Every structure is written in structure tokens, then in C-alpha cells.
Amino acid sequence: QVQLAESGGGSVQAGGSLRLSCAASGFTHSYYCMGWFRQAPGKEREGVARIHSVGSEWYSDSVKGRFTISQDNNKNTLYLQMNNLKPEDTAMYYCAARYSGSSYCTSNLYEYNYWGQGTQVTVSS
């Protein structure tokens, strides 16, 4: 059973930076996708960034150029470096994972089987 645990959230002012971490355990195959999703109050959960275990990355248009997803396979940890944060980035951020039969990672959050508990990011203006 894959288990995920996020950390690193907090409160920052607009223009600031945060780095989120997701400690992962329990993978039994080496071909998988991991992603960051977020949900603001009253809004649907949306994708932020995702990465394949072999290294390909994808970003939503709203964070492209500001956020960077990365993974440390030795430490089984996923990261999200968030720079130039904006108030509209305020949300609960979730780490998610799924096994993948290809080198592509879907943006459809409903296809991710494993989820962490979330970490709150609050950006003030």
C-alpha cells in the first residue's frame, strides 16, 4: 500500500517562496506518477504539477514558470518548489500517486489512487 505524507506548508506574503515535501513509501513497481493537486475553499480540486518516475514533468498554466516539481528517488520524496507566490495560490495542497503503464502521467485527478492528507498554503497580499 502506497502511503504519502506532505509537509512544508505555511503562510507567506505574496512574492515569497515555499517548498512542499511529500514522503512516499510502499511502491512495489518503479513505473509510477506523482503529482501535486490543490483545493481552495469553495473550488474544485485542480492539478498543479506532476512527474513520472522516469523524469518527465508537466505543469498547469497557472503555475508554469513559478513552481518546480522534483523527486529524490533515493529518499522517496517528492518536492514542489513554489516561487513568486500569489494570493490565488492559497489552497490545501495534496500529494497523489498512481502506477503508470506508460511514460505519460494523466492530469485527471480521479485516476490517482493514493493521496496524502494535505498541507495548507496561505499567501497574503
Side-chain angles (χ1 to χ4, degrees), residues 47-48 59-66:
V48 174
Y59 297 91
S60 68
D61 288 343
S62 62
V63 306
K64 199 172 295 182
R66 300 188 297 123

Side-chain angles (χ1 to χ4, degrees), residues 10-16 18 84-91 120-125:
S11 298
V12 295
Q13 290 190 327
L18 281 174
N84 191 21
L85 282 160
K86 303 177 181 181
E88 51 263 43
D89 294 318
T90 295
Q120 178 69 37
V121 172
T122 303
V123 184
S124 58
S125 58

Side-chain angles (χ1 to χ4, degrees), residues 9-29:
S11 298
V12 295
Q13 290 190 327
S17 298
L18 281 174
R19 188 175 81 155
L20 305 183
S21 299
C22 174
S25 63
F27 285 114
T28 57
H29 303 289

Side-chain angles (χ1 to χ4, degrees), residues 15-112:
S17 298
L18 281 174
R19 188 175 81 155
L20 305 183
S21 299
C22 174
S25 63
F27 285 114
T28 57
H29 303 289
S30 59
Y31 228 50
Y32 56 83
C33 296
M34 295 190 75
W36 289 99
F37 297 80
R38 67 186 181 187
Q39 187 166 19
K43 294 188 176 182
E44 294 186 354
R45 194 170 297 190
E46 63 176 4
V48 174
R50 54 200 194 275
I51 188 168
H52 198 283
S53 55
V54 299
S56 297
E57 305 166 12
W58 298 265
Y59 297 91
S60 68
D61 288 343
S62 62
V63 306
K64 199 172 295 182
R66 300 188 297 123
F67 291 10
T68 303
I69 190 171
S70 62
Q71 58 188 352
D72 183 335
N73 290 332
N74 290 330
K75 296 182 179 180
N76 292 325
T77 303
L78 179 73
Y79 301 101
L80 185 68
Q81 178 66 42
M82 305 185 294
N83 297 328
N84 191 21
L85 282 160
K86 303 177 181 181
E88 51 263 43
D89 294 318
T90 295
M92 184 72 78
Y93 282 70
Y94 297 90
C95 172
R98 68 182 299 266
Y99 290 109
S100 175
S102 73
S103 58
Y104 176 72
C105 291
T106 179
S107 59
N108 185 347
L109 62 91
Y110 296 104
E111 296 195 33
Y112 286 77

Side-chain angles (χ1 to χ4, degrees), residues 2-6 22-25 27 34-35 76 95-98 113-118:
V2 175
Q3 294 186 320
L4 306 171
E6 304 95 335
C22 174
S25 63
F27 285 114
M34 295 190 75
N76 292 325
C95 172
R98 68 182 299 266
N113 312 99
Y114 307 102
W115 291 84
Q117 80 287 353

